[in-house]
Amino acid sequence: LRAVKKPGGSILRNAGLKTRQMGDRFGVCGTLFDNFSVRRCKVSIKAILWDLGDVVVPISCSWPEIVEGVINGLDGVGSLSRAWFEHGGGKELLNNVESGLFTHERFWQEASCAGGISTFDVVMASALFSSYLPLSLNVAHVLVELQKRYPLFAVSDGDFGSEFVVRSLFAHHAVAFKKVFISSKFGLKKPLLFGPVISFLQQKFGVEPEECIFIDNKEGNVIDARNLGMSAFVFNITEGNSILLLLAGLRHAGVKI
C-alpha cells in the first residue's frame, strides 16, 4: 500500500473494506487481537498513545549495530568493535540501559569512552542515528488522518533517536504530538513512564486511562498499559505487520478512521 490518494479514494478508505473483512475473519478481530491484548472499549477513545521504534519507524539493524555505527562515525576511526558488545563491557552496558539501571545519557557516555571519545556530541550523534530511522510513510499517513480527530502522544523508551523521529514527523508530515514522553527526558522507562503520562492526560486534557488506546511493539508494554485501564495492542512494522493490522486494531477499539 502507498501513502497516497488513489482514484478510488485515500489509502484509508481503500483499506476500510479489507479491515472489515479482517474483522469478520477473526470473529470481530477476536483471536488475533486477543493475542495482542486489544479490547473493544465501551468508553469513547479520546487520546491515542504511540510508541515510536518499530511502530512509526522500522528498525532493521540491531541496537549494537546502531551504537557501533554512531560511535565510530563520531570518532572517524572505527575503534568500537562488535566484539565489545558480544564479549566485552558493551553487553553489560546494553543490559543496564534496557533494565533502566543506567540512563540513556550514561549509556552514551560510557559507549563514547569505550570508543575513545572524550566528549559525546549529541547533535552529530543524532545526525548519524537518523540514517537508521526511516519513517514509514503509511504509518505517517495514518497519524496525519488521526490527528484531525484525536490528540496524539508519543510514549517511547528512547533518547535523541526518538526526538529525531518526532521532529521528522512534524517537518515532513506536519504530525504534531500534543506531548512527547521520552525515557531519557523523564528518567523512567515503561511501565513507570506511564505515571507522568496518565497524570498529564488527566490534568491537562481530562482524559482517563480507559479513554486511551496505546500502540507498542512489545507485548509486555501492552499488558502493562491494559493493567492501567487502557486499550492497547501490539503493532510491529519492522516485523512486517501490515498497515491493515494497524487500522483494524484501531477500529476494533472504536477509533474513527
Side-chain angles (χ1 to χ4, degrees):
L1 291 172
R2 296 180 183 274
V4 295
K5 290 190 175 181
K6 300 181 179 180
S10 70
I11 180 178
L12 304 182
R13 295 193 191 95
N14 292 335
L17 176 60
K18 292 185 178 181
T19 54
R20 286 195 294 274
Q21 291 172 341
M22 184 181 288
D24 294 338
R25 177 184 174 189
F26 294 102
V28 195
C29 301
T31 303
L32 175 66
F33 289 108
D34 284 343
N35 291 337
F36 290 146
S37 300
V38 71
R39 60 190 176 86
R40 186 182 294 279
C41 291
K42 294 181 180 179
V43 180
S44 298
I45 296 297
K46 296 182 179 178
I48 305 178
L49 282 54
W50 295 82
D51 186 24
L52 298 174
D54 293 325
V55 176
V56 177
V57 292
I59 303 177
S60 57
C61 296
S62 68
W63 187 235
E65 287 180 277
I66 294 174
V67 176
E68 179 187 7
V70 170
I71 297 300
N72 289 340
L74 289 174
D75 73 4
V77 178
S79 55
L80 194 64
S81 67
R82 190 71 50 83
W84 183 70
F85 292 99
E86 298 172 353
H87 309 293
K91 186 174 183 179
E92 182 179 0
L93 186 59
L94 287 171
N95 290 335
N96 286 338
V97 74
E98 180 66 25
S99 66
L101 184 62
F102 283 4
T103 62
H104 285 265
E105 183 179 10
R106 180 174 176 182
F107 169 82
W108 284 107
Q109 287 174 346
E110 297 208 11
S112 297
C113 289
I117 301 172
S118 58
T119 303
F120 182 70
D121 187 336
V122 176
V123 176
M124 181 61 72
S126 180
L128 292 166
F129 205 158
S130 66
S131 63
Y132 297 96
L133 302 173
L135 291 177
S136 164
L137 296 182
N138 283 339
V139 176
H141 185 69
V142 171
L143 290 168
V144 169
E145 295 300 315
L146 285 173
Q147 72 177 357
K148 297 175 183 178
R149 289 176 175 265
Y150 304 92
L152 307 179
F153 302 88
V155 184
S156 171
D157 282 341
D159 46 32
F160 54 84
S162 297
E163 294 175 21
F164 169 80
V165 173
V166 171
R167 291 195 302 270
S168 294
L169 282 168
F170 182 75
H172 299 293
H173 301 281
V175 172
F177 291 104
K178 296 297 184 183
K179 180 74 173 179
V180 176
F181 298 87
I182 297 178
S183 290
S184 61
K185 296 296 184 182
F186 286 81
L188 300 169
K189 294 176 72 71
K190 303 167 201 166
L192 296 179
L193 186 58
F194 287 127
V197 172
I198 291 173
S199 295
F200 180 85
L201 289 172
Q202 290 172 329
Q203 295 172 12
K204 300 296 184 180
F205 285 82
V207 173
E208 297 298 328
E210 293 78 11
E211 299 171 307
C212 301
I213 184 168
F214 175 60
I215 301 97
D216 195 278
N217 69 313
K218 296 181 179 178
E219 189 170 5
N221 292 334
V222 162
I223 292 172
D224 289 332
R226 281 178 52 81
N227 288 338
L228 293 169
M230 301 181 201
S231 180
F233 67 95
V234 171
F235 176 76
N236 191 320
I237 196 166
T238 305
E239 294 184 353
N241 286 173
S242 168
I243 194 70
L244 296 178
L245 181 66
L246 175 61
L247 294 173
L250 290 167
R251 286 169 175 158
H252 181 67
V255 175
K256 297 178 181 179
I257 186 171

